[in-house]
Amino acid sequence: MRAGRREWWGLAVLALPTLLLSLDMSVLHLAVPHLAADLRPSSTQLLWIIDIYGFLVAGFLVTMGTLGDRVGRRKLLMIGGAAFGLASIAAAFATSPEMLIAARAVLGVAGATLMPSTLALISNMFQDPKQRGTAIAVWMSCFMGGMVIGPVVGGVLLENFRWGAVFLLAVPVMVLLLATAPKLLPEYKDEEAGRLDLASVALSLGAILPIIYGLKEIAKDGFGLVNVVALAAGLVVGTVFVRRQRTLATPMLDLGLFKVREFSAALGIMLVGATTMGGLFLLVSQYLQLVAGLSAVQAGIWLVPQAIAVVIGSLIAPKLAQRFRPEFVLGFGMLIAAGGILLFTQAEGQGGLFAIVVGLCVAAFGMGPQGVLCTEMVVSSVPPQKAGAASAMSETSGEFGIAMGIAVFGSVATAIYRGGVPAGTPDSLAGALESAAQQPGPAAQDLVAVAREAFTTGLHTVAGIAAAIVVVFAVGGMILLRRTAANTEPAGELVRN
């Protein structure tokens, strides 16, 4: 069945929350100094204001994706949209750090309903593979587009209005979503999905949240006892979650999906892509400011071209996949990305802005097809009634990948940095630069030069490792993702209204 005008207008409606979520993430960092001056949060409260949204989005993705299969994807999308709008108003007019943290927590739970619901609806509305690929490319491009325009929109708002204005951006978007969704978006749900197992919900949260927390804290503070215990506890609870799913007649997460080769292989490749790019992006962002000497605004401007490059790569991927085998488009795109990553090794401790920016653009362009084609493979390789769970797994793999990349590659780079600086030098480049500012001229210059060189060496090593990993998975993907018949045996009736 080919999609008609209603479905394409529906895609425009689904693009709204997608654009908003990425824009919301990018504008908050600009607003942090303003809200900190107004609300005066402690350092711990400020960290919770920034991090709690991402933690809860990651923690509830699987739950909300599966819940949408049961109660209806459009219904869950509208409930989440209404909650997101109300929580945005609460955040905009927060009068204390505690109120803002609570509002951000609700935003995280509501945000977890939006991404899997939009992707699952796209997979159901666009049955034709060519149209579905184009729709997913538009959906992903909207997400990246929000990150491009976020700093610009946020800067304009913060120059003319109170910091709360950055949260009010969500209100008209959600009002428009709620007004148009009933007319343009059909409802889908699995009538035989059964009731949601609350014990499985608790176990999924008990697994995902500690793992994400542990990975992020390891990236910041190293392998401390609390961080390692959190990571281990999450893995233990995750094992219990998996065992419970195998015993339930209607599990919250159907582990049988992982027996579909395209599904599991595509998820693995998405995880690797998010891991490598997440870890490298952290180091590149630091390089631009701490080695190249750019301000935060200047660094943000230099990051815009790579966002445009990934949008271009995403949009052309479906067209290329119509002419060539999708796994080859995916694999060769990743090989191009590996070439861009290798350009990072040409950046020097006293310069290298050109190599970094060009490398980012090439890598982002090459990874564009990976995001679109792997997402399409994930949602199209499962029965329609499982689209919500599959979409949630796609999003969760990205969240895990970014956190893991920051933790693993950040730790490798830190270890190399520590080995390249004299004993007694602060453990981070930022700390070394602060220490140098308090020393006399020649000593300060020597410390800055050594610290920047050590950091750059760490970046070179991580880039080499990441490029090798991407090449291996590019070749493996072209082998594993050879076209196989998707598992289309119905697990229950899919109701469409």
Side-chain angles (χ1 to χ4, degrees):
M1 294 177 58
R2 288 184 61 82
R5 182 178 300 178
R6 180 189 179 190
E7 284 77 16
W8 288 109
W9 278 110
L11 176 63
V13 172
L14 293 175
L16 293 175
T18 304
L19 179 69
L20 174 69
L21 285 176
S22 62
L23 190 148
D24 187 66
M25 287 189 291
S26 58
V27 300
L28 176 66
H29 292 284
L30 292 176
V32 165
H34 301 268
L35 66 88
D38 186 14
L39 300 181
R40 299 186 180 280
S42 66
S43 58
T44 301
Q45 289 173 329
L46 187 60
L47 286 175
W48 277 112
I49 290 172
I50 297 171
D51 290 340
I52 194 169
Y53 175 83
F55 284 146
L56 292 183
V57 167
F60 277 95
L61 276 173
V62 173
T63 297
M64 294 305 179
T66 306
L67 183 62
D69 292 339
R70 286 164 165 76
V71 305
R73 293 157 194 166
R74 184 183 67 187
K75 180 186 294 185
L76 184 64
L77 177 66
M78 295 181 67
I79 293 173
F84 200 96
L86 293 173
S88 296
I89 295 175
F93 295 101
T95 56
S96 66
E98 293 81 5
M99 182 177 177
L100 183 55
I101 292 171
R104 290 278 292 167
V106 176
L107 284 171
V109 177
T113 70
L114 300 179
M115 293 299 284
S117 295
T118 55
L119 183 55
L121 283 168
I122 288 172
S123 70
N124 296 138
M125 292 161 56
F126 296 89
Q127 296 295 313
D128 179 75
K130 295 180 180 179
Q131 290 185 322
R132 183 171 56 240
T134 301
I136 291 176
V138 171
W139 173 81
M140 186 160 291
S141 297
C142 287
F143 184 82
M144 296 306 303
M147 301 192 72
V148 173
I149 67 174
V152 178
V153 173
V156 171
L157 289 175
L158 292 170
E159 284 184 4
N160 296 279
F161 303 100
R162 182 176 174 269
W163 58 265
V166 300
F167 293 107
L168 294 178
L169 285 172
V171 177
V173 172
M174 292 307 168
V175 169
L176 184 59
L177 171 67
L178 295 175
T180 57
K183 296 181 180 180
L184 295 175
L185 301 179
E187 180 64 287
Y188 294 88
K189 65 178 178 179
D190 181 6
E191 285 294 319
E192 298 182 5
R195 298 180 62 182
L196 186 66
D197 181 48
L198 295 181
S200 295
V201 173
L203 287 172
S204 70
L205 292 175
I208 295 172
L209 290 177
I211 291 175
I212 294 290
Y213 173 83
L215 289 173
K216 287 191 174 184
E217 291 303 308
I218 286 172
K220 289 192 296 185
D221 303 325
F223 290 89
L225 178 62
V226 174
N227 303 337
V228 173
V229 168
L231 186 60
L235 293 174
V236 170
V237 177
T239 303
V240 177
F241 171 80
V242 170
R243 289 183 176 178
R244 182 172 181 82
Q245 301 316 293
R246 291 174 174 171
T247 64
L248 296 176
T250 54
M252 188 180 96
L253 180 62
D254 184 2
L255 299 179
L257 297 178
F258 291 93
K259 296 180 181 179
V260 180
R261 187 171 67 176
E262 281 188 300
F263 178 84
S264 55
L267 273 183
I269 292 173
M270 291 178 69
L271 179 67
V272 169
T275 300
T276 53
M277 295 306 292
L280 286 170
F281 193 81
L282 170 69
L283 298 177
V284 166
S285 300
Q286 294 179 3
Y287 180 94
L288 292 176
Q289 296 183 63
L290 302 178
V291 178
L294 301 179
S295 67
V297 175
Q298 291 172 329
I301 293 173
W302 281 108
L303 291 174
V304 169
Q306 65 89 23
I308 297 174
V310 76
V311 169
I312 295 173
S314 300
L315 290 176
I316 68 172
K319 298 296 182 183
L320 292 175
Q322 293 172 19
R323 297 190 59 185
F324 309 100
R325 294 174 69 90
E327 59 269 28
F328 291 152
V329 176
L330 165 66
F332 283 111
M334 293 180 69
L335 292 176
I336 292 173
I341 292 171
L342 283 177
L343 285 177
F344 296 159
T345 62
Q346 303 305 305
E348 301 176 353
Q350 298 298 324
L353 180 61
F354 178 80
I356 290 293
V357 174
V358 174
L360 266 179
C361 291
V362 175
F365 175 80
M367 284 295 185
Q370 178 252 13
V372 172
L373 297 180
C374 283
T375 300
E376 198 276 335
M377 290 174 185
V378 166
V379 298
S380 65
S381 63
V382 302
Q385 57 268 29
K386 302 292 184 181
S391 301
M393 288 303 300
S394 172
E395 298 297 327
T396 304
S397 69
E399 293 289 339
F400 270 118
I402 293 173
M404 188 159 43
I406 291 173
V408 174
F409 288 133
S411 298
V412 171
T414 299
I416 294 172
Y417 166 82
R418 289 173 179 169
V421 296
T425 303
D427 289 340
S428 67
L429 177 56
L433 296 181
E434 290 181 6
S435 176
Q438 303 173 2
Q439 298 183 20
Q445 293 176 3
D446 291 342
L447 177 58
V448 168
V450 170
R452 284 177 171 171
E453 190 65 35
F455 179 88
T456 305
T457 301
L459 174 60
H460 291 173
T461 304
V462 167
I465 296 171
I469 293 173
V470 171
V471 169
V472 170
F473 276 83
V475 176
M478 287 188 278
I479 297 173
L480 291 174
L481 291 174
R482 288 176 297 181
R483 276 296 172 194
T484 57
N487 178 17
T488 56
E489 296 181 4
E493 182 183 0
L494 181 68
V495 175
R496 172 178 177 170
N497 297 323

